Amino acid sequence: MYTIILSFFSLLVVSQNEQLAQNYIDKGEFEKAATLYEEFEKKQPNNFYFTQKLVTCLQGLKQFDKVEKLLLSKKDKSNQPLLFVELGYNSQLQKDTNKADTYYKKAIEVVEKQPNYAYQIGQAFEQKSLLAQAYSTYEKAQKNNSSMNFDYQMALLQGQMGNLDVMVVKLLDYAYANVNSTLSVQNQLVFFMQDDAENVFANSLKKELLLRTQKTQDIYWNQFLSWLYINLKEYNKAFIQEKSIYKRNPESFDDIIQLAQICVNENENETAQAIFQFILQNTSDESVLVNANCFLLKNEIETAKSEAYPLIQTKFETVLSQFGNSPYAVELRILAAHFKAFYLNEFENAKALLEETMKMPINIRQQAKVKMELADIFVLNEKFNQAIIYYAQIQNDLPNDEFSHEASMRMAKTSFFKKDFNWAKKQASELKQASTQLIANDAVELFLLISDNAAEDSLQVALQDFSKADLLEYQNKPKDALEAFLEILKKHKGQSIEAGTLYKVAKNYEKLGDFAKAISYYQNILEHNKDGIYIDEALFYSAEIYKNQLNDMEKAKNLYEKVVLEHPDSIYFTEARKQYRQLRGDKQQGI
């Protein structure tokens, strides 16, 4: 027992000393590190790790002769060919290239005779950035032993040596011959694309893949090309490849569905819509059909004018009659209820549809989604207490879940609509550190809105007016909401409520299609509320209007750039950077 304890403490001391030695190397204190590694090396002379560490320290101290003597003594005892690489590198550090080359050639000659050493010696060359020697090592081994395959390593070395076109061809050949390695190859290609600001490498890869799709009917190359287009965010082109794959292999829709979901997540609604339409025409899978119809209807609602509502309602009725009782139809039924309540003002019909959905055999998360929509509809109908009951049930059903945080945020907003400002402020305060950035951002805005104005106006008149106008906006009444917010600007000019009201006015002008007015109010925020919390919103939404509505790409680009440079913590940062890069054409390095 005593021996075991002693051994344990001895190992612990060695481990601590090793860490200490490495710390000395990291700090450049090579003399201290060398002293420790000399001790390790004496105790374990066959441990090449300690030898290499000691060599590093001695080279750091410029004691090259001592290194050579150490390595030659090791070579005499072990005859390890790896030591030729170390001896050569030691000579190279002294700028004795002839001597270095002599040692490197000896290492490669060993591989010619004994190819099994190739991986060990090739890796040693790579670690010292001796790329040509590493390539020659793998090449010689493969030539002298046909069972060995270093195509992958050799391809990457070509890329590191600047021969990117050669690398692309070799990597694609390797991936095709070793299909299970496709993901590893793609990861390497992504690595090279990361620093490809002008898309030179991506275009070279694209060209090679297009050639391969034309030369052969193998869908492998269409799949690879689709992967590339997705990485380049050229989703419509990826869809073309996926359609081509499906026509030749119509057994699975998985990749097409996955592409549709990517498009939805990236807000590429036009391509997503085209994909879902294609899916509807080519599958009988009920779950896929329901999801496709749900997305298409949701997309149609977001862009429709009121005169189109009856037609949308007819479409809902048709789809619900076909799939309404399906176990996959929960999201569809929630969407139908939302449309009835928020667009057709059919509160009771919407409520009945959701209550009917609750009786279906659905899981706790689906129940929470139905309850959330029920609560939202109660808020819409100004039945705030009933709404709060449902939000509270979600909190109890899914504690510490993001969905629960969302319910808490909506409960805080409901309290605000009730004009229970103290309770709303308390709830918002608790959500300021929510894991979801959007919820945390909304919570901060609500908290500051109440705090700033409550301190200034003890009667909370401005907050009450804002709450009323905010509810009108929630009820999908942009004209009434706009009128109410404009009245606040007149009635409470110069008060703390002004900044938030300017933002709301701009958003409602946007909803009503008056983009010039929206821009003017966003500009007012930028000019007169520079230290406020709505600056990043004003910049981002102004940019969106210039890009999508006014077709002024230069102004849009400048505004996106301001979000990226001046508001790195904004929830709009990621999208702003994406749009900025697209508008500048990705011709520059940096942001």
mmCIF file of all heavy atoms in Angstrom, residues 42-65:
data_model
loop_
_atom_site.group_PDB
_atom_site.id
_atom_site.type_symbol
_atom_site.label_atom_id
_atom_site.label_comp_id
_atom_site.label_asym_id
_atom_site.label_seq_id
_atom_site.Cartn_x
_atom_site.Cartn_y
_atom_site.Cartn_z
ATOM 1 N N LYS A 42 17.362 12.027 -18.857
ATOM 2 C CA LYS A 42 18.278 11.057 -18.230
ATOM 3 C C LYS A 42 17.487 9.897 -17.630
ATOM 4 O O LYS A 42 17.904 8.739 -17.692
ATOM 5 C CB LYS A 42 19.102 11.744 -17.138
ATOM 6 C CG LYS A 42 20.237 12.605 -17.675
ATOM 7 C CD LYS A 42 20.945 13.321 -16.528
ATOM 8 C CE LYS A 42 21.992 14.297 -17.068
ATOM 9 N NZ LYS A 42 22.613 15.094 -15.966
ATOM 10 N N LYS A 43 16.351 10.208 -17.025
ATOM 11 C CA LYS A 43 15.537 9.173 -16.389
ATOM 12 C C LYS A 43 14.824 8.300 -17.423
ATOM 13 O O LYS A 43 14.589 7.115 -17.207
ATOM 14 C CB LYS A 43 14.504 9.805 -15.451
ATOM 15 C CG LYS A 43 15.131 10.428 -14.203
ATOM 16 C CD LYS A 43 14.076 11.115 -13.347
ATOM 17 C CE LYS A 43 14.714 11.779 -12.127
ATOM 18 N NZ LYS A 43 13.709 12.537 -11.328
ATOM 19 N N GLN A 44 14.438 8.931 -18.560
ATOM 20 C CA GLN A 44 13.730 8.181 -19.606
ATOM 21 C C GLN A 44 14.403 8.441 -20.960
ATOM 22 O O GLN A 44 13.847 9.141 -21.817
ATOM 23 C CB GLN A 44 12.255 8.598 -19.665
ATOM 24 C CG GLN A 44 11.492 8.340 -18.365
ATOM 25 C CD GLN A 44 10.018 8.712 -18.490
ATOM 26 O OE1 GLN A 44 9.348 8.327 -19.446
ATOM 27 N NE2 GLN A 44 9.515 9.455 -17.509
ATOM 28 N N PRO A 45 15.593 7.855 -21.176
ATOM 29 C CA PRO A 45 16.351 8.146 -22.396
ATOM 30 C C PRO A 45 15.681 7.672 -23.684
ATOM 31 O O PRO A 45 16.014 8.168 -24.770
ATOM 32 C CB PRO A 45 17.683 7.413 -22.158
ATOM 33 C CG PRO A 45 17.379 6.356 -21.136
ATOM 34 C CD PRO A 45 16.312 6.935 -20.282
ATOM 35 N N ASN A 46 14.737 6.753 -23.567
ATOM 36 C CA ASN A 46 14.053 6.242 -24.765
ATOM 37 C C ASN A 46 12.749 6.984 -25.072
ATOM 38 O O ASN A 46 12.040 6.639 -26.008
ATOM 39 C CB ASN A 46 13.766 4.744 -24.613
ATOM 40 C CG ASN A 46 15.036 3.928 -24.518
ATOM 41 O OD1 ASN A 46 16.022 4.233 -25.198
ATOM 42 N ND2 ASN A 46 15.028 2.897 -23.681
ATOM 43 N N ASN A 47 12.443 7.984 -24.242
ATOM 44 C CA ASN A 47 11.217 8.772 -24.465
ATOM 45 C C ASN A 47 11.564 9.936 -25.408
ATOM 46 O O ASN A 47 12.141 10.936 -24.991
ATOM 47 C CB ASN A 47 10.681 9.297 -23.128
ATOM 48 C CG ASN A 47 9.315 9.944 -23.269
ATOM 49 O OD1 ASN A 47 8.994 10.506 -24.314
ATOM 50 N ND2 ASN A 47 8.515 9.861 -22.216
ATOM 51 N N PHE A 48 11.206 9.768 -26.683
ATOM 52 C CA PHE A 48 11.619 10.751 -27.689
ATOM 53 C C PHE A 48 10.947 12.111 -27.480
ATOM 54 O O PHE A 48 11.463 13.145 -27.904
ATOM 55 C CB PHE A 48 11.300 10.226 -29.092
ATOM 56 C CG PHE A 48 11.902 11.054 -30.193
ATOM 57 C CD1 PHE A 48 13.275 11.161 -30.326
ATOM 58 C CD2 PHE A 48 11.092 11.749 -31.082
ATOM 59 C CE1 PHE A 48 13.834 11.942 -31.331
ATOM 60 C CE2 PHE A 48 11.641 12.528 -32.082
ATOM 61 C CZ PHE A 48 13.020 12.623 -32.209
ATOM 62 N N TYR A 49 9.807 12.114 -26.781
ATOM 63 C CA TYR A 49 9.112 13.380 -26.488
ATOM 64 C C TYR A 49 10.022 14.308 -25.688
ATOM 65 O O TYR A 49 10.159 15.489 -25.995
ATOM 66 C CB TYR A 49 7.819 13.091 -25.724
ATOM 67 C CG TYR A 49 7.134 14.331 -25.182
ATOM 68 C CD1 TYR A 49 6.362 15.142 -26.008
ATOM 69 C CD2 TYR A 49 7.276 14.682 -23.835
ATOM 70 C CE1 TYR A 49 5.736 16.283 -25.512
ATOM 71 C CE2 TYR A 49 6.662 15.818 -23.331
ATOM 72 C CZ TYR A 49 5.887 16.610 -24.165
ATOM 73 O OH TYR A 49 5.289 17.737 -23.674
ATOM 74 N N PHE A 50 10.680 13.750 -24.654
ATOM 75 C CA PHE A 50 11.572 14.563 -23.822
ATOM 76 C C PHE A 50 12.804 15.011 -24.612
ATOM 77 O O PHE A 50 13.303 16.122 -24.428
ATOM 78 C CB PHE A 50 11.998 13.794 -22.572
ATOM 79 C CG PHE A 50 10.877 13.587 -21.576
ATOM 80 C CD1 PHE A 50 10.703 12.363 -20.942
ATOM 81 C CD2 PHE A 50 9.994 14.615 -21.268
ATOM 82 C CE1 PHE A 50 9.674 12.180 -20.027
ATOM 83 C CE2 PHE A 50 8.969 14.441 -20.353
ATOM 84 C CZ PHE A 50 8.803 13.212 -19.736
ATOM 85 N N THR A 51 13.270 14.123 -25.498
ATOM 86 C CA THR A 51 14.417 14.490 -26.335
ATOM 87 C C THR A 51 14.072 15.691 -27.207
ATOM 88 O O THR A 51 14.849 16.655 -27.303
ATOM 89 C CB THR A 51 14.834 13.303 -27.228
ATOM 90 O OG1 THR A 51 15.145 12.171 -26.397
ATOM 91 C CG2 THR A 51 16.056 13.661 -28.073
ATOM 92 N N GLN A 52 12.886 15.635 -27.836
ATOM 93 C CA GLN A 52 12.457 16.748 -28.711
ATOM 94 C C GLN A 52 12.322 18.051 -27.923
ATOM 95 O O GLN A 52 12.697 19.123 -28.401
ATOM 96 C CB GLN A 52 11.135 16.397 -29.389
ATOM 97 C CG GLN A 52 11.280 15.408 -30.532
ATOM 98 C CD GLN A 52 9.958 15.126 -31.201
ATOM 99 O OE1 GLN A 52 8.971 14.815 -30.539
ATOM 100 N NE2 GLN A 52 9.922 15.244 -32.521
ATOM 101 N N LYS A 53 11.769 17.965 -26.717
ATOM 102 C CA LYS A 53 11.604 19.163 -25.892
ATOM 103 C C LYS A 53 12.956 19.756 -25.502
ATOM 104 O O LYS A 53 13.148 20.980 -25.517
ATOM 105 C CB LYS A 53 10.777 18.850 -24.638
ATOM 106 C CG LYS A 53 9.304 18.619 -24.907
ATOM 107 C CD LYS A 53 8.628 19.903 -25.334
ATOM 108 C CE LYS A 53 7.145 19.735 -25.531
ATOM 109 N NZ LYS A 53 6.504 21.000 -25.961
ATOM 110 N N LEU A 54 13.889 18.878 -25.172
ATOM 111 C CA LEU A 54 15.231 19.340 -24.807
ATOM 112 C C LEU A 54 15.914 19.990 -26.010
ATOM 113 O O LEU A 54 16.552 21.041 -25.881
ATOM 114 C CB LEU A 54 16.066 18.168 -24.291
ATOM 115 C CG LEU A 54 17.522 18.483 -23.909
ATOM 116 C CD1 LEU A 54 17.579 19.618 -22.884
ATOM 117 C CD2 LEU A 54 18.219 17.242 -23.385
ATOM 118 N N VAL A 55 15.722 19.383 -27.185
ATOM 119 C CA VAL A 55 16.274 19.955 -28.423
ATOM 120 C C VAL A 55 15.722 21.353 -28.658
ATOM 121 O O VAL A 55 16.455 22.289 -28.998
ATOM 122 C CB VAL A 55 15.976 19.025 -29.621
ATOM 123 C CG1 VAL A 55 16.184 19.763 -30.949
ATOM 124 C CG2 VAL A 55 16.850 17.782 -29.556
ATOM 125 N N THR A 56 14.430 21.525 -28.458
ATOM 126 C CA THR A 56 13.789 22.835 -28.640
ATOM 127 C C THR A 56 14.425 23.876 -27.718
ATOM 128 O O THR A 56 14.710 25.012 -28.128
ATOM 129 C CB THR A 56 12.269 22.739 -28.358
ATOM 130 O OG1 THR A 56 11.684 21.826 -29.274
ATOM 131 C CG2 THR A 56 11.592 24.099 -28.484
ATOM 132 N N CYS A 57 14.651 23.492 -26.455
ATOM 133 C CA CYS A 57 15.247 24.430 -25.493
ATOM 134 C C CYS A 57 16.668 24.807 -25.907
ATOM 135 O O CYS A 57 17.043 25.995 -25.881
ATOM 136 C CB CYS A 57 15.274 23.803 -24.104
ATOM 137 S SG CYS A 57 13.648 23.498 -23.405
ATOM 138 N N LEU A 58 17.466 23.802 -26.292
ATOM 139 C CA LEU A 58 18.861 24.061 -26.658
ATOM 140 C C LEU A 58 18.948 24.915 -27.927
ATOM 141 O O LEU A 58 19.818 25.786 -28.035
ATOM 142 C CB LEU A 58 19.607 22.734 -26.850
ATOM 143 C CG LEU A 58 19.760 21.874 -25.579
ATOM 144 C CD1 LEU A 58 20.367 20.520 -25.919
ATOM 145 C CD2 LEU A 58 20.594 22.599 -24.519
ATOM 146 N N GLN A 59 18.015 24.672 -28.863
ATOM 147 C CA GLN A 59 17.992 25.497 -30.079
ATOM 148 C C GLN A 59 17.583 26.924 -29.736
ATOM 149 O O GLN A 59 18.079 27.885 -30.334
ATOM 150 C CB GLN A 59 17.047 24.882 -31.115
ATOM 151 C CG GLN A 59 17.626 23.624 -31.765
ATOM 152 C CD GLN A 59 16.621 22.869 -32.619
ATOM 153 O OE1 GLN A 59 15.405 23.041 -32.475
ATOM 154 N NE2 GLN A 59 17.120 22.017 -33.504
ATOM 155 N N GLY A 60 16.695 27.073 -28.757
ATOM 156 C CA GLY A 60 16.309 28.407 -28.302
ATOM 157 C C GLY A 60 17.474 29.148 -27.682
ATOM 158 O O GLY A 60 17.542 30.389 -27.717
ATOM 159 N N LEU A 61 18.430 28.386 -27.123
ATOM 160 C CA LEU A 61 19.635 28.971 -26.513
ATOM 161 C C LEU A 61 20.786 29.058 -27.516
ATOM 162 O O LEU A 61 21.918 29.405 -27.133
ATOM 163 C CB LEU A 61 20.060 28.123 -25.303
ATOM 164 C CG LEU A 61 19.069 28.094 -24.130
ATOM 165 C CD1 LEU A 61 19.448 27.003 -23.132
ATOM 166 C CD2 LEU A 61 19.027 29.463 -23.442
ATOM 167 N N LYS A 62 20.493 28.691 -28.788
ATOM 168 C CA LYS A 62 21.507 28.711 -29.870
ATOM 169 C C LYS A 62 22.640 27.716 -29.618
ATOM 170 O O LYS A 62 23.758 27.892 -30.124
ATOM 171 C CB LYS A 62 22.130 30.116 -30.032
ATOM 172 C CG LYS A 62 21.129 31.241 -30.146
ATOM 173 C CD LYS A 62 20.456 31.250 -31.487
ATOM 174 C CE LYS A 62 19.659 32.545 -31.666
ATOM 175 N NZ LYS A 62 18.453 32.361 -32.443
ATOM 176 N N GLN A 63 22.403 26.665 -28.853
ATOM 177 C CA GLN A 63 23.431 25.659 -28.570
ATOM 178 C C GLN A 63 23.304 24.513 -29.584
ATOM 179 O O GLN A 63 22.990 23.360 -29.248
ATOM 180 C CB GLN A 63 23.277 25.163 -27.127
ATOM 181 C CG GLN A 63 23.519 26.247 -26.090
ATOM 182 C CD GLN A 63 23.340 25.757 -24.660
ATOM 183 O OE1 GLN A 63 23.208 24.552 -24.395
ATOM 184 N NE2 GLN A 63 23.334 26.693 -23.719
ATOM 185 N N PHE A 64 23.537 24.836 -30.860
ATOM 186 C CA PHE A 64 23.305 23.902 -31.955
ATOM 187 C C PHE A 64 24.272 22.715 -31.922
ATOM 188 O O PHE A 64 23.901 21.589 -32.268
ATOM 189 C CB PHE A 64 23.402 24.633 -33.291
ATOM 190 C CG PHE A 64 22.413 25.771 -33.419
ATOM 191 C CD1 PHE A 64 22.847 27.086 -33.494
ATOM 192 C CD2 PHE A 64 21.047 25.523 -33.450
ATOM 193 C CE1 PHE A 64 21.940 28.128 -33.600
ATOM 194 C CE2 PHE A 64 20.134 26.551 -33.558
ATOM 195 C CZ PHE A 64 20.578 27.866 -33.640
ATOM 196 N N ASP A 65 25.515 22.964 -31.547
ATOM 197 C CA ASP A 65 26.498 21.873 -31.486
ATOM 198 C C ASP A 65 26.082 20.824 -30.440
ATOM 199 O O ASP A 65 26.221 19.615 -30.661
ATOM 200 C CB ASP A 65 27.889 22.424 -31.125
ATOM 201 C CG ASP A 65 28.492 23.228 -32.260
ATOM 202 O OD1 ASP A 65 27.997 23.076 -33.406
ATOM 203 O OD2 ASP A 65 29.418 24.024 -32.010
#
